[in-house]
Every structure is written in C-alpha cells, then in structure tokens.
Amino acid sequence: MTGWLLRRLGQALLVVWAMTLIVFVGLHAIGNPVDILIGDDMNQAERAAAIARLGLDQPLWRQYLSFLEGAVQGQLGKSFVYHDEAIRIILDRLPATMELAVAALLLAVLIGVPLGLFAGMKPEHPASRAIMATSIVGFSLPAFWVALMLIMVFSVQLGWLPAGGRGETRSLFGIEWSWLTLDGLQHLLLPAFNLALFKISLVLRLTRAGVREVLPQDFVKFARAKGLSPVRVVGVHVLRNTLIPLVTVLGLELGSTIAYAVVTETIFAWPGAGKLILDSINSLDRPVVVAYLMVVVVIFVTLNLVVDVLYRLLDPRVRLEGAK
C-alpha cells in the first residue's frame, strides 16, 4: 500500500507540473495581457514600468521558473487584475462552487438512483419506459437553454424561486454557506438542478444497466432462495454491486462539475470560481488561470484516490495496484 501511495503521489506531481507548463505556453500563445491591462493613454516610460511591475518584461521561461519557485513556497503569483494573491482569490470563490457542485451531485444521486433501480427491476413497466425516454431529454438539452427556461418558469412566471445570486449565507468553520439558510437554499435550488440534469440522466442509466447486469447473478438468486426480503436483496446485494461502477463515475463527475460550472454560474450570477475563471481568461489574468487549474487538478487527483479507496470498501475482491 505504501508503494502504491508513493507512486500515485509521484504521478500527481507530474500531472500538476505538466498542467502548469501547458497553461503557461498556451496563455502566452493566445494573447498579451499588456494589451488589455495597460491603457493607451500611458507614455512609453509608464508602459515599460507597468510591464516590469507585472513581471512581463522577462522571457517566458524565466516567468515560468519564477512561478515554480513561488509554487514550492505556496505562492502561485499575484493577480494582474485584483492585485492580490491568486490562490487566495480562488479559495475565496471555491466554496460557492463546491457547494453548487455537491448539491448537484446529491440531486443526481437522490433522483437518479431510485429511478434507475425501478427501471432496472421492472424494465417492461410503462413507467420504466417513460423514465428511460425522459432521461434522453436530460442528455440532449443544452445547459444554458435549460437554465433560461428554469428562470422563466419558476422565477418569472410562478415567482417561486429567485432568478440569481447566492442569497443569504451563514458562516460555518469560517466559510460562508448558502444551504444553512432558507433564503440560501431557495437561491441554490435552480442552479443546482440545472447543473444536475445531465448527471441525473447519467446516474439513472448507469444504475439501470448495473441492476440488469447484477439481477441474473447467482448470488442474487441464492439470496432470494434463502428467503431474504426483497428490500434486503435489493439494498444489500443488488445496490451494493451496482454502486461499484457508479462510484467511479460520480467521483469524476464531481471534479468535472466543479471545473465546468461556468455556464450555470454565469447565467444564475452565482459568485463561484467558474465565473471568476471566465473573467480571468477574458482579461488574460495568467496567475489566476494557472492557480485555478492547479486547484482543479489537485481536486481530480484527490477524487481519484478516494474512488480507489471506496472501491475496496464496496468490494473486497477489488485490490489496489501493488496492495497485494
């Protein structure tokens, strides 16, 4: 186990390093932040001083080495736009995105798993056919259009839920959260459902496929022959084995939800990291973009590790590489 953990940590460091290199080269190729950040009314001396202050007078390789040196010390550079540490800006916005992503994933599990179980246990039932047909809609509809329709129906027409913003928050462990207040939950519901719609369809279909695969297995037939109740057969034997592939997908989907919540955050004016990174890309704020991507990479690596551990908890037959 120790050897496996060391290999995974080494792979994680290589991934993070490769991402920083790719992002630095990519951002250098697509534009010059000087053209955006420095006004045309400056004379040549003021312009040169501003470029030097931002550190953009150095060649790219020297800028990159300076960044790596700071990263080792826990500093990912200072934002060109906000004039603050990039990592601090990201971490200030990240809880809002995490809250939105976790809420979306919970909705996907709470809605998708029961519907998938029903569709898998009774595939010929008319309701099951309707569920599977409806799941195609979740895959097909674009997120921005669904968001606009949700706002039009539930905010404009019915007036049940607010159209945007984060609402009232309450502090817990020094972090502001929306789900701790009723107003915050009302603001959270629409963007979370919009972000969860695709994942509900995905979880539903994966659960159904897993149930259809597990039901004919001998251990399920044996459990029924022993006289176990249907609830115990489904909950202990069918659902547990169905969750094994589902855990992998959910772990990766949580990471992708955090990384790609830009559309939902923009439409619902949700003050998260997704909207921040979009603004930073538009202004070519390199330190913030790099810091955000490094945080996302760390989240993905951590989630992969958690998924591997959950594999072992769900199924003792699954062995982590090198753990034998």
Side-chain angles (χ1 to χ4, degrees), residues 4-14 301 305:
W4 174 82
L5 286 174
L6 290 175
R7 285 196 297 272
R8 287 297 300 270
L9 289 174
Q11 293 170 0
L13 291 175
L14 285 175
V301 171
L305 180 60

Side-chain angles (χ1 to χ4, degrees), residues 16 19 21 33 50 61 68 78 94 106 120 123 174 190 195 239 259 281 322:
V16 173
M19 282 299 301
L21 184 60
W61 65 270
L68 289 181
K78 184 172 287 188
L94 191 60
L106 285 176
L190 284 185
L195 202 58
L239 185 58
I281 291 173

Side-chain angles (χ1 to χ4, degrees), residues 8-71:
R8 287 297 300 270
L9 289 174
Q11 293 170 0
L13 291 175
L14 285 175
V15 170
V16 173
W17 170 78
M19 282 299 301
T20 60
L21 184 60
I22 293 171
V23 170
F24 256 82
V25 174
L27 289 176
H28 181 76
I30 63 175
N32 187 359
V34 173
D35 299 333
I36 299 176
L37 300 174
I38 299 179
D40 297 332
D41 55 341
M42 289 185 176
N43 57 42
Q44 289 298 325
E46 293 173 335
R47 185 179 178 88
I51 292 173
R53 186 173 61 252
L54 295 174
L56 299 175
D57 58 331
Q58 302 293 327
L60 181 61
W61 65 270
R62 190 177 295 276
Q63 294 180 39
Y64 180 66
L65 290 179
S66 298
F67 166 78
L68 289 181
E69 182 180 355

Side-chain angles (χ1 to χ4, degrees), residues 2 153 157 170 238 312:
T2 303
V153 173
Q157 300 288 343
R170 187 164 296 170
V238 176
R312 199 172 195 184

